[in-house]
Amino acid sequence: MNGAQQLVEAFKNLDATVPVAQFPLPLDGAESLRSLAGSISHQVRDYLLPRASRLDAPLLAVVGGSTGAGKSTLVNSLLRAQVTKPGVLRPTTKSPVLVCHPDDEAWFRSEHVLPDLVRTDTQLHDSRALHIVAFPDLPPGLALLDAPDIDSIDDANRSLARQLLLAADLWLFVTSAARYADAVPWGYLASAAERNIVVSVVVNRCPPGAITDVGSHLAQMLAERGLASAKLFAVPERALTPDGLLPMGDVSGIRQWLAHLAAASEARAQVAVQTLAGSVRSLDPQLSELIDGVARQDEALAELRAQSVANYRFAAEEVSKAASDGTMLRGEILSRWQDLVGTGEFMRSIEERIGMIRDRISGWFRGEPKAEAVQVAISDSLSAVLVEAGEGAAESTAVAWSRTRWGREIIAAEPSLARASEAFPEAAAEAIRAWQSDVLRLVEEEGRGKRRKARFLAIGTNVAGAALIIVVFAATGGLTTAEVGIAGGTSLLAQRLLEAVFGEDEVRRLAVEAQRLLRDRVDAVLANELTRFGTILDALAVDEQAPAKLAEAADRLRSAARAAFDDLTAPELS
């Protein structure tokens, strides 16, 4: 594969890769980056691929400039015929007009040049239609394209003007004596300098007495901005001919320059190579900008995701803490447990009567409804803690996201994210009930051994399960001084009861396992809530490989360009 073929393949690869550059979050500069990505894609398809495929294809000279600069009149005057209609109303929305020799018409009607524009044989009020005019008096090898205003108040016109200028082999930039120093044209001319494109600047409607001064000042401005080699023409301000054209003598210099390009194949090749090489070089910093922008998007999305994950992890830790620091041994749970086991005399004599515990707990077994009441109290209380934690996680995440403009926009679009989902309270209650079932299965499996069966049957699964949950809640870190004695005695009773059935080591193991099962249930239900945030971020997510893919495409383009241009030069036109 020779250098030119490598360059064509590199452009095809770049065209396929640029779409991975996505900028869904409204970070600073995101809109500009979206525009840049679109601009690169257009330039590759509209100009770089067709020109690299055929260096000998006809040149495209785009006639661009500011509103009211007289572009259409200049094109008609160069052709000495009314080919394109000057705009009367502003903004002018009309199809751009491409004028070429009949021998070149097939090239410009093909999909190789400006493939996104629809070809038409008449000028329409549609900026996405390309009106092609075959004009025998225009020399073959060079086409003129009358483009929309670069400073049009119509977005579509401005966008198309930029697209067409990026598709040009050379620019015929039209301004006026009154507006040649305006900022917008110089932004485009700076882009021309970056691409090293062949540029001709036409100062239209220049007062005859000011031609020298304006020309000198404009030449100085061009030189200061890296465009010293640009051709400079001045068209005096005077009445048009009866057929609406500029006098022949006023445009003869421009006609001669264009005729030279059209007639000399070597000159055309020089223009093509110079603009192509400059365009390739200008892509490198643009692709670096896209790579950095995509990385910033990924970082911003990762930060939002990390904030949501951290808040829900904190919620899970809060539930775990409440379920292990004694906080739950208050209120309804404590009351229902005391109803089940009693207090006072039994608690004072527990050490002496541990061998006779089976006699006492056989009475508990007959009080199964009280054991169920304990389980209900546990379910209601722990579910409330879990719901509160989930609500707090949703609110905290919404607050954290709202500290950035992009996060604020997400919350504004999905305000329900600031609170738990409607289904969460029931899901939380179901998770706690499921955990209680886990605990019951745990103690039931442990009580199946022959040695323990009699003791286990004496108290029943529900009482043993409730006692194990009380042991899980046993620590007193979250209690007041007054509560410590009550809760401490309560948890000690539950532990002694279980130790009488299972043994000390087994009770410790069962408590650890029950805590793990609770964490699993809580983590699962909170993780499901977290998916509401994750789903939105997934929809906004950029390809995590995008920076690497873009970097690889840029490297491949640089390598192909070196191979293609090693033996070529891009001389300035004289």
Side-chain angles (χ1 to χ4, degrees):
M1 186 183 296
N2 61 33
Q5 291 170 330
Q6 290 181 46
L7 189 59
V8 169
E9 292 304 312
F11 284 140
K12 289 179 179 178
N13 178 62
L14 180 61
D15 187 40
T17 304
V18 167
V20 305
Q22 297 292 318
F23 308 94
L25 297 182
L27 275 64
D28 292 342
E31 185 61 37
S32 175
L33 288 167
R34 281 191 286 268
S35 177
L36 177 60
S39 176
I40 291 173
S41 292
H42 278 304
Q43 188 180 12
V44 170
R45 292 192 296 268
D46 294 345
Y47 172 71
L48 295 171
L49 258 176
R51 178 52 68 197
S53 301
R54 274 197 57 189
L55 279 174
D56 63 339
L59 296 180
L60 179 60
V62 172
V63 182
S66 304
T67 302
K71 299 183 297 298
S72 298
T73 300
L74 178 64
V75 171
N76 289 337
S77 299
L78 291 171
L79 300 172
R80 309 315 297 170
Q82 292 288 350
V83 175
T84 178
K85 298 176 183 178
V88 177
L89 300 176
R90 303 295 174 186
T92 303
T93 301
K94 61 180 184 178
S95 53
V97 179
L98 188 151
V99 187
C100 63
H101 189 274
D103 291 348
D104 298 331
E105 184 178 4
W107 171 253
F108 290 109
R109 284 193 179 275
S110 73
E111 62 181 12
H112 298 296
V113 183
L114 299 168
D116 293 341
L117 299 186
V118 177
R119 273 47 172 175
T120 177
D121 292 321
T122 185
Q123 196 163 8
L124 306 174
H125 290 285
D126 183 351
S127 62
R128 303 309 300 179
L130 180 63
H131 178 206
I132 296 180
V133 178
F135 193 73
D137 291 342
L138 183 67
L142 176 69
L144 295 177
L145 196 157
D146 182 15
D149 302 330
I150 60 172
D151 55 356
S152 172
I153 62 173
D154 183 82
D155 291 342
N157 278 354
R158 288 199 313 277
S159 176
L160 181 59
R162 177 172 178 78
Q163 180 183 346
L164 294 176
L165 287 170
L166 288 173
D169 290 295
L170 63 105
W171 289 4
L172 200 59
F173 213 82
V174 186
T175 184
S176 66
R179 301 191 59 187
Y180 71 86
D182 287 359
V184 173
W186 285 102
Y188 280 86
L189 289 170
S191 174
E194 291 173 0
R195 292 175 60 203
N196 195 31
I197 191 171
V198 176
V199 177
S200 171
V201 179
V202 179
V203 184
N204 197 16
R205 299 168 185 157
C206 190
I211 287 179
T212 301
D213 290 341
V214 170
S216 175
H217 185 218
L218 183 53
Q220 179 184 349
M221 294 179 70
L222 289 167
E224 290 172 350
R225 291 162 174 78
L227 291 166
S229 62
K231 297 292 292 184
L232 184 56
F233 299 97
V235 177
E237 184 176 27
R238 65 174 100 238
L240 301 178
T241 63
D243 50 1
L245 305 177
L246 296 166
M248 172 67 88
D250 292 348
V251 296
S252 59
I254 307 171
R255 282 170 57 88
Q256 290 171 9
W257 180 66
L258 293 174
H260 169 69
L261 291 179
S265 59
E266 184 178 345
R268 291 202 309 272
Q270 288 176 355
V271 170
V273 171
Q274 177 176 325
T275 301
L276 180 60
S279 297
V280 171
R281 283 194 300 271
S282 72
L283 282 176
D284 203 58
Q286 294 177 35
L287 291 173
S288 293
E289 192 175 347
L290 289 187
I291 292 169
D292 291 343
V294 171
R296 289 196 299 273
Q297 288 277 327
D298 194 49
E299 289 168 2
L301 285 165
E303 182 179 358
L304 293 178
R305 194 181 300 275
Q307 289 169 344
S308 61
V309 169
N311 282 312
Y312 276 87
R313 183 180 295 124
F314 178 77
E317 290 170 354
E318 286 295 289
V319 175
S320 179
K321 179 181 176 182
S324 63
D325 68 356
T327 298
M328 302 306 301
L329 296 182
R330 290 185 173 121
E332 191 70 11
I333 294 177
L334 183 59
S335 176
R336 292 291 172 251
W337 175 254
Q338 289 175 339
D339 284 347
L340 177 62
V341 301
T343 56
E345 180 183 350
F346 181 82
M347 293 180 65
R348 287 193 298 270
S349 62
I350 186 65
E351 295 292 341
E352 299 173 3
R353 301 179 57 195
I354 192 69
M356 303 169 60
I357 198 169
R358 194 179 319 148
D359 296 336
R360 181 60 182 265
I361 61 180
S362 63
W364 297 349
F365 182 69
R366 291 190 295 272
E368 280 291 311
K370 291 185 177 182
E372 292 176 3
V374 175
Q375 295 285 8
V376 170
I378 291 170
S379 176
D380 291 347
S381 299
L382 193 51
S383 295
V385 170
L386 179 51
V387 169
E388 183 179 359
E391 289 282 1
E395 182 179 357
S396 296
T397 300
V399 170
W401 282 19
S402 295
R403 294 192 181 104
T404 63
R405 180 162 59 92
W406 46 95
R408 205 156 44 244
E409 287 194 8
I410 295 174
I411 297 301
E414 298 286 346
S416 63
L417 290 175
R419 55 188 181 275
S421 67
E422 291 183 2
F424 181 62
E426 178 54 35
E430 177 58 32
I432 298 306
R433 289 194 293 269
W435 173 62
Q436 290 174 286
S437 297
D438 293 339
V439 172
L440 293 178
R441 282 194 298 273
L442 198 63
V443 296
E444 188 170 9
E445 289 171 0
E446 189 64 27
R448 286 175 183 167
K450 293 180 179 179
R451 224 160 28 101
R452 297 168 180 166
K453 191 172 183 180
R455 290 180 176 180
F456 180 71
L457 289 176
I459 62 173
T461 301
N462 282 348
V463 174
L468 180 56
I469 291 175
I470 295 298
V471 171
V472 169
F473 294 165
T476 58
L479 304 176
T480 65
T481 303
E483 293 171 322
V484 167
I486 299 173
T490 299
S491 62
L492 178 61
L493 172 60
Q495 185 167 335
R496 292 299 188 189
L497 170 62
L498 292 175
E499 287 175 356
V501 177
F502 302 118
E504 183 178 349
D505 290 342
E506 288 305 306
V507 170
R508 188 180 300 111
R509 184 187 64 78
L510 289 172
V512 170
E513 179 64 10
Q515 287 174 326
R516 185 191 66 78
L517 291 170
L518 176 59
R519 283 195 299 271
D520 289 347
R521 293 290 185 180
V522 170
D523 287 348
V525 74
L526 288 175
N528 188 60
E529 281 290 284
L530 178 59
T531 59
R532 297 186 305 144
F533 296 88
T535 298
I536 288 176
L537 295 180
D538 289 343
L540 295 171
V542 298
D543 183 348
E544 63 181 14
Q545 297 300 317
K549 291 176 181 178
L550 289 166
E552 188 276 334
D555 287 342
R556 184 172 172 182
L557 180 58
R558 280 191 293 269
S559 177
R562 282 193 296 269
F565 294 117
D566 265 350
D567 299 325
L568 297 175
T569 59
E572 305 292 353
L573 296 182
S574 57

